[in-house]
C-alpha cells in the first residue's frame, strides 16, 4: 500500500497515477496498461464531472471527491475471513457467491458449487494474463468511446475486478451472486473493472450486491463491460445497499448481438450519492434489452440513473422502466436516452419513468433524450411525478387497513411493477422482501444489518 | 346505532352539508334519495371518515361513541362500511392481499387471531358465492380494469367479507345490468340481520323493490327535506323532485 496523502480533485488523481505509473501497470498485461494512457488523458482534460457537464447536470461529483481518501493499487490480503464476517442480505439465492473487496477479487473465494465446463469466473487481472485471447478481444472495447470522466478514470486506474466467461451453448441456471464489499481502515476510492463475455446461445445471470461494511468514506467506481453473442440470454442485476456516506458510481456497458437478450435491473436501496451509467448497444438484429430500475431514497440520498440505449440495426426492441420513491430531502434523477440509428427500421423502444415523492422536500429530475434517425419505428416515453394517491389510501383505510399499512401497500405495489419484471423467481422474491423491509424502515445499509452475523 | 345531529360539512370552505339529522336503529334500512349534487355522497364520505371534508358543526354517535373523532380505519373496524359510488382502482395491490389484510385487521380489532392462508381462502370462496363474483376478478389487482358493474359487485363482495354493522351503499345499483342488480340486492339481503343496519343511496325506485326500506329520506341542498315510508320512493319516481324543491323553498 502506498501513502496517497490527501489527494483530492482530478488533477491530483492524475498526479498520483503518473507518480506511481509502474505500480499501476504492475501485474497487468500490455493491452490493459496501454488503455490507461488515453483514458487518463481524457480524464485529465475533463476533470471530475460538475454540473457544467450536461450528462451530470444534476449530480455534481466535485464535492464528493473533495474528501480525503486512499487509492490502493495492489491487492491487500485481508486479515479476517470475509466469508465469516459477511453474510449478505440477499442470500439463499441458491447461487454461486463471489466476494470482491474494495474492487479486488477476494483471494480466498471459496468455490460454491461447480460451474459447467469451460466457464471462467475469476479475477480480471488473473484472467487477463491467463486467458488474454478472450479478455483482450473485449477489454475496453465498449467503454473506450465514452466521454464520461468516471469511465475514463476507471480505465486509467482500475486493475482488477470480476471476469466471467460462459462458452457457447452453456447455460448456468443459478444466478451468480457477486458481493462487492467496501471494507477498509481508511477512507478509500476503489476502482473495480469487470468483464462478462457470453458465448453464442449461452445463458447466465449475475447479481451484484454493493455493500459497505464500516462507516468509512468510500467511493466505488465500478465498471462492467459485457459482450453478449448471438442467441444468448444474460441478466445483470445490481442491488445497491451502501451507507449514506458512500459514493457509488456504477457503469455498465453492454454489447448485444443478434437475437440476444439482455435483462438488467438496478435496485438502489441505500447509498449517499449513487450514479448508475447504463449504456446498451443493440448491434445485431432482433436483439432485445430490458433496462429497469427502482430507487428507494430518503434522508439526503442522491440517486442518478443515466441510461442510454443505441438501436444500431433494424428490428431490435428495448424497454426502460425506472421508478423512484423519494422521501425526506432525497433527490432522484432519471435521464434516459433512446438513439435509433439511421436505417434501424422497425425499432421498438419504450421508456417509462414514474416517481412518487413522499415529502415536500424530495426532488425528482427526469429527462427523456430521444434521437430518432429512422422513420419506420415505434418509440414512446412517459414520465410522471406524483404523490401517494389519496383516494386509494382512503379506499384501503375505509376497509379497516391502518394508514401506515395502507401507504406501504400502495408504495410496494408501485415498486413491485419494476420487480415483477424479474424473470428469476428466487431473485424476484428476495428483492421483493428487501424492498418491503426497506419501505417499512426495517432495512438499513449493510453495516447495520449484516455485520451482527459475525460469529 | 347511528345518530346524526345537525351535521354541517364543508370542502374548501364551501358548505355542502347544512344540518343533517338522522337516526338509524339496528335492523333498519334507510334509503336516501335526492337530486344530483345534493350532498348524498358527501354524507356517506363524512360518515366513513374522508378527511377532505371538514365537519364544521354537529355531532355523530355510532354505537354510543363519537364517530367524528375516529380515523377512517377505526370506523371501518368498528363496523362502518361504505360501498363507494366510484370504487378506486389500485394497480399492483392484489384483491387477495387487500382483503386478507382488511379481514385480519378486523379480527385483530375484535381480539381474534389472524386467519391462516387456507382459512382465508375458504372464507373468500364462501363469500364469493353471495355475489356470484368470479375468481377472474378476485385474482386481479383491486378494481383494476373492472367494468363499472364489476366494481359494484366487488364492493358488495367486500361487504360480505367484512360483515359490517352499518353498511352505506352509495349508488350501488348504478351501472348494474338487470341480472346483476338482482344478484347484488340478494347479496345485501342475505347479509341483513336484525342487528345490522343499511343506508341505501339511490336514484331509482327499482333497487328499493329488492332492498325494501323502512324509511325514505330526500336530501336536497345539504338537508334532509322530507322523510317518509317506502311509498315516498314511488312518488318521487312518478313526480320527480320539483315539488320537493318547491316545498323546500317555502
Ligand atoms: N372534492 C370536492 N371538491 C369540491 N366540491 C365538491 C367535492 N366533492 C363534492 N363537492 C360538491 O359537493 C356537492 C355535493 O356532492 P355529492 O357528491 O355529495 O352529491 P351527490 O348528492 O352524491 O350527487 P350524485 O347524485 O350526482 O352522486 C356538489 O356540488 C359537488 O360538486
Ligand atoms: Mg353521489
Amino acid at each position: 500500500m502506498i501513502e496517497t496523502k490527501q489527494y483530492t480533485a482530478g488533477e491530483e488523481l492524475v498526479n498520483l497515477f503518473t507518480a506511481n505509473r509502474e505500480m499501476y501497470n504492475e501485474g497487468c498485461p500490455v493491452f490493459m496498461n496501454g488503455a490507461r494512457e488515453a483514458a487518463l488523458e481524457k480524464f485529465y482534460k475533463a476533470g471530475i464531472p460538475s454540473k457544467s457537464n450536461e450528462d451530470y447536470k444534476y449530480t455534481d461529483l466535485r464535492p464528493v471527491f473533495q474528501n480525503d481518501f486512499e487509492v490502493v493499487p495492489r491487492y491487500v490480503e485481508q486479515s479476517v475471513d470475509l466469508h465469516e464476517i459477511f453474510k449478505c442480505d440477499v442470500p439463499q439465492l441458491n447461487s454461486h457467491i463471489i466476494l470482491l473487496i474494495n474492487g479486488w477479487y477476494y483471494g480466498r473465494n471459496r468455490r460454491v458449487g461447480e460451474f459447467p465446463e469451460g466457464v471462467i469466473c475469476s479475477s480480471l487481472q488473473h484472467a487477463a494474463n491467463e486467458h488474454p485471447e478472450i479478455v483482450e478481444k473485449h477489454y475496453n472495447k465498449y467503454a473506450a468511446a465514452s466521454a464520461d470522466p468516471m469511465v475514463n478514470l476507471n480505465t486509467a486506474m482500475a486493475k482488477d475486478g470480476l471476469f466471467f466467461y460462459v462458452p457457447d451453448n452453456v447455460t448456468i441456471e443459478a444466478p451468480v451472486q457477486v458481493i462487492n464489499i467496501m471494507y477498509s481502515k481508511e477512507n478509500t476510492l476503489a476502482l473495480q473493472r469487470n468483464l462478462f463475455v457470453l458465448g453464442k446461445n449461452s445463458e447466465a445471470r449475475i447479481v451484484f450486491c454493493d455493500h459497505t461494511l464500516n462507516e468509512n468514506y468510500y467511493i466505488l467506481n465500478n465498471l462492467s463491460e459485457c459482450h453478449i453473442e448471438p442467441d444468448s440470454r444474460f441478466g445483470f442485476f445490481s442491488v445497491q445497499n451502501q451507507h449514506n456516506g458512500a459514493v457509488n458510481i456504477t457503469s455498465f456497458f453492454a454489447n448485444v448481438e443478434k437475437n440476444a437478450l439482455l435483462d438488467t435491473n438496478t435496485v438502489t436501496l441505500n447509498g449517499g450519492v449513487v450514479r448508475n451509467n447504463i449504456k446498451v448497444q443493440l448491434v445485431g438484429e432482433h436483439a432485445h434489452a430490458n433496462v429497469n430500475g427502482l430507487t428507494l431514497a430518503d434522508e439526503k440520498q442522491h440517486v442518478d440513473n443515466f441510461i442510454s440505449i443505441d438501436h444500431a440495426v433494424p428490428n431490435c426492441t428495448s424497454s426502460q422502466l425506472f421508478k423512484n420513491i423519494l422521501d425526506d430531502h432525497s433527490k432522484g434523477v432519471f435521464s434516459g436516452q433512446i438513439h435509433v440509428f439511421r436505417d434501424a427500421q422497425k425499432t421498438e423502444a419504450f421508456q417509462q419513468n414514474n416517481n412518487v415523492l413522499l415529502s415536500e422536500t424530495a426532488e425528482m429530475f427526469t429527462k427523456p433524450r430521444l434521437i430518432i434517425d429512422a422513420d419506420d419505428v415505434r418509440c414512446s416515453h412517459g414520465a410522471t411525478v406524483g404523490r401517494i394517491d389519496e383516494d386509494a389510501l382512503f379506499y384501503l383505510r375505509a376497509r379497516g387497513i391502518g394508514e401506515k399499512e395502507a401507504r406501504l401497500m400502495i408504495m410496494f405495489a408501485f415498486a413491485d411493477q419494476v420487480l415483477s419484471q424479474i424473470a428469476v423467481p428466487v431473485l424476484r422474491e428476495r428483492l421483493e422482501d428487501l424492498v418491503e423491509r426497506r419501505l417499512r424502515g426495517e432495512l438499513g445499509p449493510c453495516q447495520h444489518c449484516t455485520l451482527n452475523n459475525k460469529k | 346505532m347511528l345518530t346524526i345531529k345537525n351535521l354541517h360539512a364543508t370542502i374548501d370552505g364551501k358548505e355542502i352539508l347544512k344540518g343533517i339529522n338522522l337516526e338509524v336503529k339496528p335492523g333498519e334500512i334507510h334509503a336516501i334519495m335526492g337530486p344530483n349534487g345534493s350532498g348524498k355522497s358527501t354524507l356517506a364520505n363524512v360518515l366513513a371518515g374522508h378527511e377532505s371534508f371538514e365537519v364544521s358543526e354537529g355531532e355523530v354517535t355510532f354505537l354510543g361513541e363519537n364517530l367524528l373523532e375516529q380515523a377512517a380505519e377505526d370506523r371501518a373496524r368498528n363496523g362502518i362500511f361504505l360501498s363507494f359510488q366510484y370504487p378506486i382502482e389500485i394497480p399492483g395491490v392484489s384483491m387477495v392481499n387487500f382483503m386478507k389484510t382488511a379481514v385480519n385487521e378486523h379480527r385483530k380489532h375484535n381480539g381474534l387471531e389472524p386467519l391462516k392462508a387456507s382459512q382465508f381462502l375458504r372464507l373468500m370462496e364462501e363469500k364469493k358465492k353471495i355475489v356470484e363474483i368470479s375468481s377472474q376478478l378476485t385474482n386481479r389487482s383491486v378494481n383494476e380494469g373492472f367494468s363499472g358493474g364489476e366494481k359494484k359487485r366487488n364492493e358488495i363482495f367486500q361487504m360480505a367479507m367484512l360483515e359490517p354493522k352499518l353498511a352505506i351503499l352509495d349508488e350501488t345499483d348504478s351501472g348494474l345490468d338487470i341480472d346483476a342488480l338482482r344478484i347484488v340486492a340478494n347479496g345485501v339481503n342475505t347479509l341483513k340481520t336484525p342487528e345490522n343496519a343499511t343506508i341505501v343511496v339511490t336514484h331509482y325506485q327499482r333497487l328499493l323493490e329488492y332492498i325494501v326500506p323502512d324509511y325514505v329520506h330526500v336530501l336536497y341542498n345539504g338537508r334532509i327535506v322530507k322523510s317518509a315510508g317506502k311509498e315516498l320512493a314511488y312518488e318521487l319516481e312518478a313526480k320527480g323532485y320539483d315539488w320537493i324543491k318547491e316545498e323546500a323553498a317555502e
Side-chain angles (χ1 to χ4, degrees):
Chain A
M1 196 188 303
I2 52 163
E3 269 305 310
T4 54
K5 289 189 259 160
Q6 278 71 47
Y7 289 106
T8 55
E11 207 167 314
E12 285 160 273
L13 279 165
V14 173
N15 292 340
L16 172 72
F17 178 86
T18 43
N20 299 280
R21 183 175 265 110
E22 269 169 36
M23 212 181 287
Y24 279 95
N25 287 339
E26 183 187 273
C28 295
V30 170
F31 66 83
M32 277 179 81
N33 294 335
R36 298 189 194 284
E37 304 299 329
L40 190 78
E41 184 66 23
K42 283 207 273 181
F43 172 72
Y44 176 73
K45 284 195 179 129
I48 307 282
S50 68
K51 294 189 177 182
S52 62
N53 179 334
E54 188 61 28
D55 293 349
Y56 280 83
K57 197 166 173 191
Y58 303 104
T59 303
D60 190 349
L61 288 180
R62 287 185 187 208
V64 308
F65 275 84
Q66 215 55 44
N67 294 295
D68 298 341
F69 50 77
E70 275 193 349
V71 188
V72 184
R74 274 183 188 149
Y75 177 64
V76 182
E77 249 339 299
Q78 296 296 311
S79 53
V80 286
D81 184 349
L82 291 179
H83 289 285
E84 287 301 319
I85 64 163
F86 184 75
K87 299 278 186 287
C88 176
D89 236 354
V90 200
Q92 291 116 37
L93 278 181
N94 195 14
S95 63
H96 309 276
I97 295 175
I98 314 288
L99 299 185
L100 279 91
I101 168 115
N102 303 329
W104 299 83
Y105 191 86
Y106 179 51
R108 281 187 274 166
N109 265 316
R110 297 173 190 154
R111 216 167 174 63
V112 186
E114 285 299 312
F115 284 115
E117 200 177 327
V119 170
I120 305 168
C121 180
S122 73
S123 141
L124 176 74
Q125 196 183 100
H126 175 83
N129 292 310
E130 296 298 313
H131 308 281
E133 71 290 353
I134 313 172
V135 179
E136 185 169 4
K137 208 162 131 196
H138 300 290
Y139 184 83
N140 203 37
K141 289 297 179 291
Y142 315 110
S146 176
D148 189 320
M150 291 297 105
V151 170
N152 289 312
L153 178 66
N154 186 285
T155 305
M157 296 180 80
K159 296 188 65 180
D160 196 20
L162 176 73
F163 176 69
F164 184 66
Y165 171 72
V166 185
D168 294 353
N169 303 312
V170 168
T171 292
I172 302 177
E173 292 289 347
V176 177
Q177 189 180 4
V178 179
I179 302 172
N180 298 312
I181 295 171
M182 301 299 288
Y183 184 49
S184 171
K185 289 193 186 68
E186 309 296 334
N187 295 339
T188 301
L189 164 64
L191 298 133
Q192 176 177 336
R193 181 75 170 216
N194 319 291
L195 178 62
F196 316 134
V197 178
L198 280 102
K200 293 185 188 67
N201 187 34
S202 66
E203 178 168 345
R205 293 156 202 98
I206 289 183
V207 186
F208 267 23
C209 299
D210 297 342
H211 297 289
T212 41
L213 282 205
N214 59 11
E215 295 277 2
N216 281 333
Y217 183 74
Y218 292 115
I219 304 177
L220 171 62
N221 179 327
N222 193 356
L223 190 157
S224 304
E225 288 179 289
C226 167
H227 176 70
I228 309 169
E229 296 201 340
D231 303 310
S232 291
R233 294 155 303 278
F234 182 58
F236 179 72
F237 304 94
S238 178
V239 184
Q240 305 176 329
N241 197 21
Q242 297 189 330
H243 70 61
N244 285 357
V247 178
N248 190 348
I249 302 157
T250 291
S251 304
F252 178 75
F253 291 85
N255 191 60
V256 189
E257 295 199 329
K258 191 173 171 205
N259 225 5
L261 168 71
L262 169 71
D263 232 327
T264 97
N265 215 315
T266 304
V267 179
T268 307
L269 298 170
N270 277 298
V273 175
V274 179
R275 163 80 172 200
N276 293 302
N277 292 311
I278 300 178
K279 166 112 183 165
V280 177
Q281 291 173 287
L282 301 170
V283 298
E285 288 198 37
H286 301 288
H288 177 74
N290 290 318
V291 180
N292 300 329
L294 172 66
T295 294
L296 311 176
D298 58 9
E299 298 183 22
K300 287 186 172 161
Q301 298 177 337
H302 179 118
V303 182
D304 181 343
N305 284 301
F306 189 84
I307 318 303
S308 140
I309 299 186
D310 286 353
H311 283 258
V313 296
N315 287 311
C316 292
T317 51
S318 69
S319 159
Q320 299 174 48
L321 174 64
F322 277 79
K323 292 196 171 202
N324 290 267
I325 299 178
L326 305 173
D327 202 356
D328 302 332
H329 285 80
S330 64
K331 251 191 205 120
V333 183
F334 172 78
S335 175
Q337 178 168 294
I338 299 170
H339 186 176
V340 182
F341 287 31
R342 250 187 73 195
D343 303 328
Q345 304 297 3
K346 306 282 181 199
T347 287
E348 288 188 15
F350 305 107
Q351 180 190 97
Q352 189 66 39
N353 172 232
N354 305 110
N355 309 287
V356 171
L357 305 182
L358 301 179
S359 72
E360 295 292 326
T361 44
E363 285 183 284
M364 181 69 210
F365 303 94
T366 174
K367 183 174 139 193
R369 299 163 4 251
L370 269 59
I371 309 168
I372 299 180
D373 295 328
D375 47 28
D376 186 10
V377 301
R378 278 178 60 206
C379 288
S380 74
H381 67 92
T384 59
V385 181
R387 307 206 170 261
I388 291 249
D389 181 349
E390 291 293 330
D391 290 332
L393 195 59
F394 177 62
Y395 191 77
L396 297 179
R397 293 178 67 196
R399 297 298 178 250
I401 300 171
E403 182 177 358
K404 188 163 169 254
E405 196 63 28
R407 267 181 202 284
L408 262 161
M409 285 174 85
I410 294 169
M411 284 192 287
F412 184 78
F414 176 82
D416 198 42
Q417 283 166 344
V418 175
L419 302 180
S420 62
Q421 307 273 321
I422 297 173
V424 191
V426 57
L427 180 59
R428 184 178 62 238
E429 283 157 24
R430 265 321 268 155
L431 281 171
E432 284 175 340
D433 180 50
L434 281 177
V435 164
E436 188 180 336
R437 280 163 57 197
R438 174 70 171 99
L439 287 171
R440 286 185 186 279
E442 291 165 5
L443 180 79
C446 249
Q447 89 270 15
H448 301 306
C449 66
T450 47
L451 263 184
N452 53 15
N453 284 326
K454 201 186 282 191
K455 284 180 189 155
Chain B
M1 171 180 265
L2 179 78
T3 310
I4 305 176
K5 278 191 193 146
N6 191 30
L7 181 67
H8 291 249
T10 62
I11 186 157
D12 302 332
K14 184 177 147 203
E15 188 166 60
I16 313 282
L17 300 184
K18 301 172 181 170
I20 303 270
N21 293 289
L22 186 67
E23 171 88 39
V24 179
K25 296 200 178 74
E28 290 179 349
I29 297 179
H30 290 245
I32 296 182
M33 304 181 78
N36 294 132
S38 58
K40 304 181 298 295
S41 294
T42 301
L43 175 62
N45 276 292
V46 167
L47 293 178
H50 199 297
E51 286 160 9
S52 297
F53 300 96
E54 197 192 325
V55 173
S56 47
E57 218 183 312
E59 51 193 71
V60 181
T61 20
F62 178 61
L63 300 174
E65 289 186 38
N66 181 352
L67 187 73
L68 300 175
E69 273 178 356
Q70 300 168 17
E73 53 267 37
D74 292 324
R75 298 181 193 200
R77 292 167 193 165
N78 286 331
I80 288 198
F81 180 89
L82 170 61
S83 168
F84 285 64
Q85 182 175 2
Y86 304 109
I88 310 296
E89 301 194 11
I90 315 181
V93 174
S94 73
M95 271 304 297
V96 172
N97 187 28
F98 165 52
M99 270 296 100
K100 198 168 163 207
T101 311
V103 166
N104 283 334
E105 288 283 1
H106 278 74
R107 290 180 64 87
K108 191 163 126 198
H109 180 76
N110 295 323
L112 298 169
E113 290 289 306
L115 288 181
K116 294 198 190 73
S118 60
Q119 293 171 315
F120 173 77
L121 291 177
R122 215 173 309 129
L123 177 71
M124 210 157 127
E125 285 311 311
E126 182 192 315
K127 301 295 184 181
K128 266 156 65 178
K129 289 192 194 115
I130 294 180
V131 284
E132 299 177 25
I133 192 166
S134 80
S135 301
Q136 271 153 10
L137 294 182
T138 53
N139 286 338
R140 283 169 34 191
S141 291
V142 178
N143 291 323
E144 192 184 22
F146 286 28
S147 75
E150 287 167 346
K151 284 180 182 165
K152 295 303 172 79
R153 201 183 280 226
N154 190 22
E155 294 292 288
I156 304 306
F157 165 67
Q158 293 170 41
M159 175 179 157
M161 292 292 289
L162 299 174
E163 298 183 333
K165 297 194 178 79
L166 173 66
I168 305 163
L169 311 181
D170 191 357
E171 293 198 30
T172 300
D173 52 337
S174 67
L176 290 177
D177 66 42
I178 296 158
D179 293 334
L181 179 69
R182 202 184 56 242
I183 292 162
V184 163
N186 281 342
V188 173
N189 288 332
T190 309
L191 297 167
K192 195 81 205 61
T193 71
E195 284 78 46
N196 61 23
T198 313
I199 297 176
V200 193
V201 175
T202 182
H203 284 295
Y204 304 106
Q205 189 271 325
R206 202 178 60 204
L207 177 69
L208 303 178
E209 280 176 17
Y210 294 103
I211 305 174
V212 182
D214 300 297
Y215 301 95
V216 175
H217 310 276
V218 178
L219 185 60
Y220 173 60
N221 198 14
R223 286 190 191 90
I224 289 178
V225 294
K226 199 166 189 71
S227 296
K230 66 177 187 231
E231 66 287 350
L232 178 57
Y234 291 95
E235 204 174 350
L236 292 170
E237 184 93 358
K239 303 203 302 200
Y241 288 112
D242 281 350
W243 62 284
I244 299 262
K245 292 180 188 173
E246 278 161 27
E247 270 186 30
E250 279 162 16

